[in-house]
Amino acid sequence: MNFKLILNIAFHLLQARLKQTVVAAIGVTFGIAMFISLVSFMNGLNDLLDGLMLNRTPHVRLYNEIKPSENQPISISEVYKNNINFINSIKPKDRGKSIYNSKSILKVLKNDSRIIDVAPKITTPVFFNSGTIEISGIINGIDVDAEEKLFALSDYIIDGKIVDLSQNNSIIIGKGLADKMLLVKGDVIKITTSKGNLVSLKIVGISQIGISEIDDVSSYTSLDTAQKLLGEPTNYITDIQIKLFDMASAPKVAKEMSATFNVDSIDYQTANSQFETGSSVRSIISYAVGIVLLIVAGFGIYNILNMMIYEKMDSIAILKATGFSGNDVKWIFICLSLVIGLVGGVFGLLFGYLFTSIIDIIPFETAALPTIKTYPINYNPMFYVIGIIFALFTTTIAGLFPAMKASKVDPVEIIRGK
């Protein structure tokens, strides 16, 4: 089989039906361009939403959870341990929120090669006092340098600087809380702890995460200030936040840390399972719509090649009469569809990149997301690889059936009919 000759004949057939060829290629181009644009935008949106979650969520969190004791005294007893025991009205065990021997745990974790870094934290409920009004909220006592390294907290501070938390008795409050209490940077806010301690802190910044449930209640201060606020020693820590080099290993590492240090643990996948589900659904929708567009373009190519066969019956008969086999004729029409798919696919990739570049510079500013300035786009090269492969696959399948029909044409019947 002479592929050079077959390609030459295929190109001449394409030129003879140039208008229909262009229409078919445009269909593929449009399908690929929309596929690239849609998938890039939807994955960019997923990255944005996941970033909002992951930037503020440790891969693994160690803490002490309030829960009933798993082993009740009756189960430990030699007499009753093998029996089925029914116990009612079990009360939670007060282990305290502080992580025991926290400094030694931090030292061990920092030497673990799987861990990027750790950030100790104190989380405590408080009341923010505004005249006679008390607004409930949360204070997060943080290690400023570690928190900035792992979670880039400064990206969410719209007024002030995170380094100012190193000052004694300073605090950064959420924008929602600041709006409720009409507070600005430089004001002093009074705080009542759960133990009844009343403390005055200077506001050195306003933060805005973009999630109202957080911005309305959360505030940040240094670890030292939080420990003084609660009247606790310098080793008092309620949370240890861990970020891993391989975030996929978070569930395994969480279980290992929990067993090793006798604390409760939770990984980011468990803590944010609803975000993971939402991202998966959006990705499925975007891929499904893109594939449908390409399938529609494939039907257009199928119809065009089908019509071309009926119009070129005499040419096919002459080819067969001059020595071309049915397999040669089949490959001629398969080459036709591959050329349409390749040309349409390449232009589709170019237009897809152009469309996504245009979307990427369209202003998108909202008060809820102060760090976002334009619509999110993901320029993953894999999307373009998938696009061109699927374009060639779709057009090949669309051209295969007309090609098989052309290969079975009987030249004697066609010439006799003519």
Side-chain angles (χ1 to χ4, degrees):
M1 184 166 50
N2 191 335
F3 274 105
K4 185 176 181 180
L5 178 59
I6 287 174
L7 281 173
N8 189 30
I9 295 172
F11 277 115
H12 278 82
L13 288 175
L14 286 172
Q15 292 174 1
R17 304 287 298 172
L18 187 59
K19 185 182 292 185
Q20 288 84 346
T21 302
V22 171
V23 170
I26 289 175
V28 177
T29 298
F30 178 79
I32 294 295
M34 290 300 100
F35 172 78
I36 296 296
S37 303
L38 182 63
V39 173
S40 298
F41 177 69
M42 290 301 293
N43 279 273
L45 181 61
N46 284 344
D47 292 342
L48 168 63
L49 297 177
D50 290 346
L52 289 175
M53 178 264 292
L54 289 175
N55 285 350
R56 301 302 311 140
T57 304
H59 296 161
V60 177
R61 173 180 166 234
L62 305 181
Y63 65 106
N64 279 332
E65 186 176 6
I66 297 175
K67 61 182 180 180
S69 177
E70 296 179 1
N71 297 314
Q72 296 297 317
I74 193 171
S75 301
I76 301 173
S77 171
E78 291 292 334
V79 179
Y80 300 102
K81 68 177 184 179
N82 295 323
N83 296 348
I84 299 176
N85 304 306
F86 297 92
I87 306 173
N88 297 320
S89 302
I90 299 175
K91 301 299 186 291
K93 182 180 179 181
D94 184 13
R95 297 190 297 167
K97 293 183 178 179
S98 175
I99 296 178
Y100 177 73
N101 206 14
S102 59
K103 289 189 176 180
S104 297
I105 294 175
L106 289 171
K107 185 177 180 180
V108 172
L109 293 177
K110 287 183 178 181
N111 291 327
D112 195 318
S113 60
R114 298 170 297 177
I115 296 174
I116 298 174
D117 205 350
V118 295
K121 183 178 178 181
I122 296 172
T123 303
T124 181
V126 296
F127 288 103
F128 298 99
N129 303 314
S130 178
T132 59
I133 299 174
E134 291 184 339
I135 300 176
S136 61
I138 297 173
I139 278 189
N140 299 291
I142 60 174
D143 182 321
V144 176
D145 294 335
E147 196 79 12
E148 176 63 16
K149 178 181 177 181
L150 296 186
F151 305 109
L153 183 59
S154 59
D155 290 346
Y156 303 95
I157 297 177
I158 58 177
D159 189 11
K161 297 180 180 178
I162 190 172
V163 294
D164 294 336
L165 282 181
S166 57
Q167 304 173 12
N168 289 329
N169 299 324
S170 59
I171 190 172
I172 293 175
I173 64 173
K175 187 176 187 302
L177 187 60
D179 292 341
K180 286 181 180 180
M181 304 180 72
L182 299 178
L183 297 171
V184 296
K185 178 186 172 184
D187 289 346
V188 174
I189 185 172
K190 292 185 177 181
I191 295 171
T192 304
T193 69
S194 57
K195 296 181 179 180
N197 301 332
L198 182 63
V199 182
S200 296
L201 300 179
K202 181 181 179 181
I203 299 173
V204 295
I206 307 293
S207 67
Q208 186 176 17
I209 302 297
I211 303 173
S212 59
E213 289 81 0
I214 297 177
D215 293 330
D216 288 349
V217 299
S218 282
S219 60
Y220 301 91
T221 188
S222 66
L223 270 178
D224 292 339
T225 301
Q227 288 162 349
K228 292 176 184 177
L229 190 70
L230 297 172
E232 298 289 351
T234 56
N235 64 345
Y236 180 84
I237 292 172
T238 62
D239 299 82
I240 295 178
Q241 305 169 103
I242 302 171
K243 280 216 168 180
L244 305 168
F245 288 103
D246 180 15
M247 58 189 298
S249 65
K252 178 183 176 182
V253 173
K255 291 180 181 178
E256 179 186 327
M257 298 300 178
S258 178
T260 303
F261 302 119
N262 192 28
V263 293
D264 295 300
S265 65
I266 187 170
D267 61 272
Y268 79 97
Q269 294 178 356
T270 303
N272 301 280
S273 57
Q274 68 275 22
F275 284 97
E276 295 282 331
T277 303
S279 297
S280 298
V281 170
R282 285 189 295 271
S283 295
I284 290 171
I285 291 173
S286 61
Y287 278 104
V289 172
I291 289 171
V292 168
L293 289 172
L294 293 177
I295 290 174
V296 171
F299 277 109
I301 296 171
Y302 171 80
N303 290 330
I304 289 172
L305 291 179
N306 231 8
M307 293 301 298
M308 187 181 294
I309 289 170
Y310 283 112
E311 292 180 0
K312 295 294 181 180
M313 283 293 188
D314 52 348
S315 300
I316 295 172
I318 292 171
L319 287 173
K320 282 197 166 186
T322 55
F324 282 81
S325 66
N327 191 48
D328 293 333
V329 173
K330 180 178 71 175
W331 275 105
I332 289 172
F333 283 90
I334 289 177
C335 289
L336 282 173
S337 61
L338 281 174
V339 169
I340 293 173
L342 183 61
V343 173
V346 170
F347 277 99
L349 298 184
L350 294 175
F351 279 103
Y353 179 78
L354 178 63
F355 293 158
T356 52
S357 299
I358 293 172
I359 295 172
D360 197 17
I361 61 175
I362 297 176
F364 174 65
E365 298 185 11
T366 173
L369 301 171
T371 60
I372 306 302
K373 302 301 180 184
T374 60
Y375 283 99
I377 292 293
N378 186 330
Y379 291 99
N380 191 338
M382 185 55 64
F383 303 152
Y384 296 82
V385 174
I386 293 172
I388 192 66
I389 290 175
F390 200 78
L392 292 174
F393 176 77
T394 304
T395 51
T396 301
I397 296 299
L400 181 61
F401 296 105
M404 292 175 67
K405 184 185 294 184
S407 67
K408 296 176 183 178
V409 169
D410 187 351
V412 175
E413 291 186 4
I414 301 299
I415 294 172
R416 184 184 300 160
K418 292 291 182 180

